[in-house]
Amino acid sequence: ALTAVVLVGRRDTLALAQFALGAGIFMPMMVAGIGAMTGILSVASRASGAGEPGLPDIALRGLWWAGLVGALGALPVFAGEAILTAIGQAPELAAGGGAVARWLAPGVFFQILFVGASMWLEGGGRTRPGLVATAAATLANLGLCLLLVDGGLGLPAMGASGAALAGTLS
């Protein structure tokens, strides 16, 4: 999100406000979803430490849980414009923030799946895959933001929506 704020903020203040509103709908769903994944880490750690063979079963149950939480968390983010309108945001801010939220909504699902898988791996003593994936996603986000916020390589300038799309893709 920091990359997006910096790149959108240098574009214009309206786009920055729209990004902030869309992210304001997205972030609580992400925090709640990540919190719901912490049980995977503790169950996987206990099984791994005890030498139990149940890690594959924990992964399957954890990914089902992550998918359910991610799908449910994405629903209010898809409805971001309605939420922003209901709380009294100006129409242009609600529309722009809603567009950002719609681009971010699939990211709720995929990010929570990623966190669930990472916690399972960490519980089994494998921390490197999550670290490498996070670093790669951060670099991808920077590159995609540079292309999508102001346009580049034949892509149109998308402003705040482009930053949101970059975040979801990365």
Side-chain angles (χ1 to χ4, degrees):
L2 178 60
T3 301
V5 167
V6 169
L7 293 176
V8 171
R10 68 185 176 89
R11 183 176 171 85
D12 68 61
T13 56
L14 176 60
L16 181 58
Q18 292 169 337
F19 184 81
L21 287 170
I25 301 291
F26 168 81
M27 291 306 288
M29 296 299 105
M30 284 301 305
V31 170
I34 290 169
M37 298 301 104
T38 58
I40 297 170
L41 178 60
S42 62
V43 172
S45 295
R46 184 177 46 96
S48 177
E52 295 175 7
L55 280 175
D57 182 52
I58 294 167
L60 185 60
R61 287 182 296 151
L63 289 177
W64 275 105
W65 174 241
L68 175 64
V69 170
L72 292 174
L75 293 176
V77 181
F78 270 117
E81 184 173 354
I83 293 169
L84 293 170
T85 300
I87 63 172
Q89 292 298 324
E92 66 199 20
L93 289 173
V100 166
R102 282 189 300 280
W103 283 112
L104 289 171
V108 173
F109 177 77
F110 292 115
Q111 181 69 22
I112 292 173
L113 275 178
F114 168 75
V115 169
S118 290
M119 290 204 178
W120 175 75
L121 287 167
E122 288 177 28
R126 295 168 293 206
T127 57
R128 188 172 307 222
L131 173 66
V132 170
T134 299
T138 300
L139 292 173
N141 184 51
L142 173 60
L144 288 168
C145 270
L146 287 168
L147 287 175
L148 296 172
V149 170
D150 291 322
L153 298 177
L155 297 171
M158 294 177 66
S161 290
L165 176 58
T168 292
L169 291 174
S170 61

